Amino acid sequence: MRTILFLTSGLLLMASLLIVAKLFAEHFPSAPNWAVALGLTLWLAATGANMWIGVSRAGYSVSDELPILLLLFAVPAAAAVLVRWRFL
């Protein structure tokens, strides 16, 4: 359940940043690029913190947590890059 909540949070973060970038794109043409870069940076930090908590407090090993980190980061990141590439 926690994984689904994190995926949803990541998708909502990326969507909100891209919506704001779309609003600013008329006056700042590079706003979508900045939004994707900011979103990827924030989301990598959030998923990294999630992995660190899983390893340090929950007792999972790094090899157990690494696939979850990749899944949690890759899905919203791929969605944001795809939306930026195709629609913005």
Side-chain angles (χ1 to χ4, degrees), residues 6-61:
F6 257 86
L7 279 174
T8 304
S9 299
L11 290 170
L12 289 173
L13 172 71
M14 297 299 177
S16 63
L17 287 172
L18 288 172
I19 288 170
V20 170
K22 181 73 172 166
L23 294 174
F24 283 103
E26 184 179 332
H27 298 290
F28 302 106
S30 64
N33 295 335
W34 281 97
V36 170
L38 177 66
L40 292 178
T41 304
L42 290 174
W43 192 238
L44 182 61
T47 55
N50 181 51
M51 180 178 169
W52 177 74
I53 290 170
V55 170
S56 67
R57 294 191 184 165
Y60 294 111
S61 68

